[in-house]
Amino acid sequence: MPSYIALFGNPNTGKTSLFNNLTGSYEYVGNWSGVTVEKKIGILRQHDVPIVDLPGIYSLQPLSRDEGVATEFLLTESFSAIVNIVDASQLKRNLHLTVQLLEFGKPLIIALNMIDVAEKRGVKVDAEKLSQCIGVPVIPVIARTGKGTEELVRTILSLTEQSGPSFSIDYGRAVEAAVQKIGEQLPDDVPVSKRWLALQFLEGNERVHAYLQTYVDVAPLRSIRDNARQTLGHSLAEHMYEVRDQWIANVVETSTVAMKQKPLTLTEKIDAIVTNKYLGLPIFLLFMYIMFMLTFDWLGSPLADLLDQFFSGPLTDWLSKLLSLIGASPFIKELVLSGIVSGVGGVLVFVPQIFILFFFISLLEDSGYMARVAMVMDRFMEAIGLNGKAFIPMIIGFGCNVPGVMATRTIEQPKERLLTILLLPFMSCSARLPVYALFAGTFFAKNQAIVVFFLYVLGIVVALGLAKLFSATLLKDESSVFVIELPPYRMPQALTLWRSTWDKGKGFVRKAGTFIFGGSVAIWLLTYVGPKGIGVSMDDSFLAVIGSVLAPILAPLGFGTWQAGASLITGFLAKEVVVSTMNIIYHAKDMDVLQGAIVQHFTPLSALSFMAFVLLYTPCLATVATIRKETGARKWMFVSIGCALTVAYTISFLIYEGGKLLGY
Amino acid sequence: MVLADLQQGQQAVITHLAVANEVVKQRLIHMGMHEGEKVCVKCVMPFGGPLMVEVDGQYICLRRKEAACIGVK
């Protein structure tokens, strides 16, 4: 029985779906290349064997960060077997990776997925013949539904350490001689197959090059490579690709039967409309418009109102009675009712809106439209020095900036990736939504959706403007590249959609139970105690002292009160805490009371300026930590914060002072 | 003739892949675009935007700049 299993395969072939079925976990899945950017470990159900899910790769030569994770794993971790998931509808391309994995020499099983898609395209794959040709077990599976996983598990368990394939392709005299010579140079204690190392080195795999450097002097190896190239007369990588291609063509020919092809696939029909030359962009904008209207106007707001009524009415009454019943002290009563219920409840009322937004993002991810959006947007992104692929992390960033920053790993050019990371915090995430809902609902009740839409657009425009600025200076000498695979459309399954929506929304609810709960208690305590003692009036509290420091700085922006200053500081924890803090500061039991209170402290103009400031100012704690981790340098984290604060101050200043000049 | 010259719906065979950028070239090869493969232009984005092509049942989107370096007949 193998002790540690790794899942390898091309991007978007269903590795994570299979992983979820094998382990019973709910990792994030979607229909585009690059959903998984980090390795994830799970346990094979009922058998206590660890399995690792890896980002999709086309070959073992990494071109982007997420692909690097897979090669790194292969070289440095001691696993005992490989499950290679192969897309039957793209057999030729998938087998190129399989060959490289077989050369690695670990026991391997092929999980053959998407046989149905292949049949629609007119190709029938015979799993048994494929298994005979390659010499490893081939198990047909349907990763989305879990069909075939039992058989796969049985086969995995029957593997022994010795059952590694004795696989070898003859690459011709020149290459084989070079492999032999390189093998002689390597010490016997390399834990990885020498033949595989030699082949990857000859192909020009940079990561293997670096790996070999830790064992031997690579100069003689390089001269072996150069000699082989001269003997061959052309590029080694191309030669090796062709040899493999030949071998694969034979395998494909013996193991597949061509059937009558259906005239026009559904994907082609849909693509004729949504990627139409003229309709492509308008259709995407229409989709976004419907998303906003449903979230803020048609469906989200009424639901949020209902929830608000429940929190401020029945829930508060019950809690108040319960607390009296158990004889809680007035201090505890105050803490629970004005601290926790106001703070946490004030944020939880926005759960319906946030779930609607997440539902649409999940729909975009699961249907196959995501990669098309990247294509439709590419021309525009090219003009500002980025590429269409950078648009995907930005859309994910509308949900939450943290996974957005992670998703940039699929961008090949390092500088382009860095730039996308720095601009991501300007994408208005769901945590900023409660702030908009509160202020826009108070001051712009009739045009709520339009005002919020304006803020989202403002974030995008600022990000793109900065992109243009940076790409003309910082990234001058790096050309932007764009190649993307467009997956076939799939009807999103209700269950997957729900899981995916819940998985994202869960984070918001969990934050309410942890960060916002803790924050609310702390904030309430800061309002309860002050320099003069305990139980002071709000204006003499510590929170007022802290907020007052910021007030004069914020005055030119139209909200120079200590309350605004204090909420903005606490908003660094998570942006929805701005609303929690205001609920506590203004003693608001429900939204109506809070709206009544902020009307006295803000004008419509200063409210707009405040919303713009919340949108643009420092990214939240979690995002800042992720930026630090993903860029690998503290410097970029500070650049991001500094840049955000400067931009926020400038824009809010322009809105407020400009608006005043115009007479608002 | 190059790939960028093809009209929507036209099909051709790739004769050479002279893409200068190594990353793009590798990606295209990995996705199945290599010499001798049949390629069909599925749609072309306006204002000099990218093209969507089909190779062996696989849809790939690439920029016109790169498509201009791919010879077809």
Side-chain angles (χ1 to χ4, degrees):
Chain A
M1 198 167 86
S3 56
Y4 191 9
I5 300 157
L7 276 177
F8 279 92
N10 277 192
N12 206 27
T13 50
K15 287 173 299 301
T16 305
S17 295
L18 184 68
F19 175 82
N20 286 346
N21 279 318
L22 288 171
T23 60
S25 42
Y26 303 115
E27 290 297 347
Y28 178 31
V29 293
N31 185 18
W32 44 285
S33 301
V35 182
T36 308
V37 292
E38 185 55 275
K39 62 178 178 194
K40 303 219 169 91
I41 296 170
I43 303 288
L44 184 61
R45 262 200 273 211
Q46 294 154 4
H47 295 286
D48 209 33
V49 182
I51 302 186
V52 61
D53 181 26
L54 294 161
I57 45 174
Y58 294 104
S59 92
L60 295 175
Q61 291 189 50
L63 296 179
S64 56
R65 268 293 273 278
D66 56 326
E67 296 176 325
V69 173
T71 311
E72 196 62 32
F73 179 88
L74 205 59
L75 283 171
T76 54
E77 304 244 357
S78 59
F79 59 101
S80 51
I82 295 174
V83 172
N84 175 206
I85 183 151
V86 166
D87 176 353
S89 69
Q90 288 298 333
L91 202 52
K92 253 168 94 174
R93 193 192 75 192
N94 278 252
L95 289 178
H96 273 277
L97 177 66
T98 307
V99 169
Q100 295 184 51
L101 290 171
L102 285 166
E103 282 166 349
F104 191 74
K106 288 267 162 106
L108 185 143
I109 300 174
I110 290 178
L112 191 64
N113 195 19
M114 308 208 199
I115 301 175
D116 47 336
V117 182
E119 279 176 15
K120 267 187 214 142
R121 289 221 187 111
V123 180
K124 197 171 164 57
V125 183
D126 186 332
E128 229 164 89
K129 280 199 183 136
L130 191 62
S131 168
Q132 279 163 15
C133 283
I134 307 180
V136 295
V138 177
I139 316 293
V141 295
I142 299 176
R144 288 183 91 192
T145 61
K147 212 175 141 204
T149 31
E150 276 173 35
E151 169 87 28
L152 181 65
V153 170
R154 266 200 299 279
T155 319
I156 291 174
L157 295 174
S158 70
L159 281 182
T160 56
E161 298 283 338
Q162 282 76 40
S163 54
S166 52
F167 178 88
S168 171
I169 291 183
D170 186 353
Y171 286 97
R173 277 238 304 282
V175 174
E176 291 300 332
V179 168
Q180 182 75 27
K181 275 188 220 153
I182 291 175
E184 282 160 12
Q185 297 276 327
L186 298 179
D188 283 330
D189 63 334
V190 250
V192 177
S193 154
K194 281 186 186 173
R195 181 177 167 81
W196 181 84
L197 282 172
L199 286 170
Q200 290 290 325
F201 178 79
L202 290 172
E203 241 188 308
N205 187 328
E206 301 270 335
R207 182 61 191 89
V208 168
H209 189 282
Y211 179 81
L212 287 176
Q213 252 167 347
T214 62
Y215 284 96
V216 288
D217 177 18
V218 284
L221 304 188
R222 263 198 240 119
S223 69
I224 295 173
R225 184 165 68 185
D226 292 342
N227 281 337
R229 190 183 299 134
Q230 269 163 19
T231 328
L232 207 63
H234 66 280
S235 150
L236 277 167
E238 268 169 46
H239 169 75
M240 292 167 76
Y241 183 88
E242 271 157 33
V243 174
R244 282 179 194 146
D245 208 48
Q246 200 82 59
W247 184 85
I248 290 166
N250 271 328
V251 171
V252 171
E253 204 186 342
T254 29
S255 59
T256 60
V257 185
M259 302 187 306
K260 217 180 102 194
Q261 197 169 353
K262 284 178 190 158
L264 202 60
T265 61
L266 181 65
T267 293
E268 281 172 329
K269 280 184 204 155
I270 300 174
D271 268 344
I273 303 165
V274 303
T275 58
N276 178 283
K277 200 166 180 168
Y278 306 104
L279 293 177
L281 199 57
I283 286 176
F284 174 61
L285 293 177
L286 182 71
F287 178 86
M288 296 299 272
Y289 176 76
I290 292 174
M291 175 172 109
F292 278 107
M293 288 311 276
L294 270 173
T295 309
F296 291 97
D297 228 345
W298 301 335
L299 188 61
S301 299
L303 286 175
D305 285 345
L306 281 179
L307 211 57
D308 185 43
Q309 279 164 20
F310 170 74
F311 281 139
S312 58
L315 188 74
T316 309
D317 290 347
W318 291 336
L319 273 175
S320 161
K321 279 188 192 130
L322 185 75
L323 287 169
S324 306
L325 203 70
I326 58 170
S329 67
F331 172 80
I332 294 290
K333 242 176 135 172
E334 262 299 280
L335 173 68
V336 172
L337 295 178
S338 348
I340 296 168
V341 173
S342 302
V344 178
V347 166
L348 278 182
V349 296
F350 298 104
V351 161
Q353 278 152 325
I354 280 161
F355 270 76
I356 295 171
L357 188 72
F358 283 149
F359 172 81
F360 276 94
I361 294 178
S362 302
L363 192 66
L364 212 59
E365 288 176 343
D366 215 43
S367 59
Y369 187 43
M370 193 70 132
R372 267 89 180 169
V373 172
M375 175 168 104
V376 169
M377 293 306 292
D378 181 64
R379 182 65 194 92
F380 182 67
M381 299 296 273
E382 191 183 6
I384 56 156
L386 286 172
N387 74 68
K389 251 191 201 177
F391 208 72
I392 294 176
M394 289 183 173
I395 291 178
I396 294 172
F398 283 144
C400 174
N401 288 172
V402 173
V405 172
M406 299 287 290
T408 59
R409 287 188 179 189
T410 57
I411 298 170
E412 291 93 351
Q413 306 284 73
K415 281 189 189 166
E416 232 174 312
R417 171 166 177 259
L418 178 64
L419 183 53
T420 312
I421 290 180
L422 292 180
L423 300 179
L424 229 121
F426 295 116
M427 295 299 116
S428 184
C429 69
S430 62
R432 284 164 239 195
L433 202 146
V435 182
Y436 305 155
L438 172 65
F439 280 83
T442 308
F443 294 98
F444 308 98
K446 285 213 181 95
N447 306 315
Q448 200 179 341
I450 295 170
V451 169
V452 176
F453 191 69
F454 161 77
L455 287 162
Y456 275 77
V457 172
L458 177 68
I460 298 173
V461 168
V462 166
L464 301 185
L466 284 176
K468 181 78 198 158
L469 184 73
F470 282 134
S471 62
T473 53
L474 199 76
L475 310 175
K476 224 169 22 200
D477 36 292
E478 192 183 77
S479 63
S480 128
V481 305
F482 178 64
V483 186
I484 195 168
E485 189 182 325
L486 302 169
Y489 286 104
R490 267 187 340 210
M491 195 54 175
Q493 287 172 313
L495 185 67
T496 319
L497 263 185
W498 161 244
R499 265 188 199 158
S500 175
T501 307
W502 169 244
D503 207 51
K504 295 187 187 85
K506 193 172 70 183
F508 183 81
V509 177
R510 193 187 294 140
K511 237 186 336 179
T514 52
F515 260 80
I516 296 170
F517 183 89
S520 297
V521 172
I523 292 159
W524 184 79
L525 282 174
L526 283 175
T527 64
Y528 195 72
V529 294
K532 287 182 194 144
I534 295 168
V536 293
S537 87
M538 190 75 77
D539 288 330
D540 297 324
S541 67
F542 276 122
L543 196 64
V545 174
I546 299 167
S548 307
V549 178
L550 274 188
I553 305 170
L554 297 173
L557 309 184
F559 42 87
T561 59
W562 71 260
Q563 287 93 336
S567 345
L568 288 172
I569 293 176
T570 55
F572 177 59
L573 278 180
K575 291 207 171 175
E576 57 269 56
V577 176
V578 170
V579 172
S580 300
T581 309
M582 290 203 156
N583 263 306
I584 297 170
I585 292 177
Y586 294 123
H587 277 305
K589 296 248 175 298
D590 62 22
M591 246 197 323
D592 289 338
V593 179
L594 184 57
Q595 289 181 338
I598 61 173
V599 165
Q600 291 168 11
H601 292 85
F602 287 86
T603 63
L605 184 62
S606 68
L608 193 63
S609 158
F610 186 76
M611 286 190 281
F613 195 81
V614 171
L615 162 69
L616 303 168
Y617 90 124
T618 177
C620 73
L621 190 61
T623 308
V624 164
T626 314
I627 292 177
R628 155 98 181 77
K629 204 177 119 236
E630 289 296 304
T631 55
R634 196 165 291 157
K635 182 176 99 187
W636 294 115
M637 178 181 89
F638 288 120
V639 167
S640 169
I641 297 176
C643 183
L645 285 173
T646 319
V647 168
Y649 199 86
T650 315
I651 300 276
S652 289
F653 184 82
L654 289 177
I655 290 177
Y656 186 66
E657 301 299 330
K660 268 203 314 201
L661 283 178
L662 292 173
Y664 285 103
Chain B
M1 200 163 60
V2 293
L3 186 55
D5 295 336
L6 295 184
Q7 296 293 311
Q8 185 164 337
Q10 279 188 320
Q11 208 174 35
V13 174
I14 301 173
T15 52
H16 65 278
L17 215 65
V19 177
N21 187 305
E22 200 49 39
V23 174
V24 177
K25 189 175 173 181
Q26 286 297 327
R27 272 270 184 270
L28 289 175
I29 292 175
H30 291 156
M31 288 175 181
M33 298 247 318
H34 48 96
E35 285 150 29
E37 285 289 341
K38 251 191 252 162
V39 57
C40 177
V41 174
K42 286 290 168 185
C43 76
V44 182
M45 290 283 120
F47 309 115
L51 296 89
M52 176 161 94
V53 300
E54 190 219 304
V55 179
D56 198 16
Q58 172 67 56
Y59 288 76
I60 302 168
C61 172
L62 71 162
R63 280 188 176 159
R64 211 163 293 187
K65 190 175 73 192
E66 271 88 38
C69 307
I70 298 173
V72 294
K73 64 171 182 201

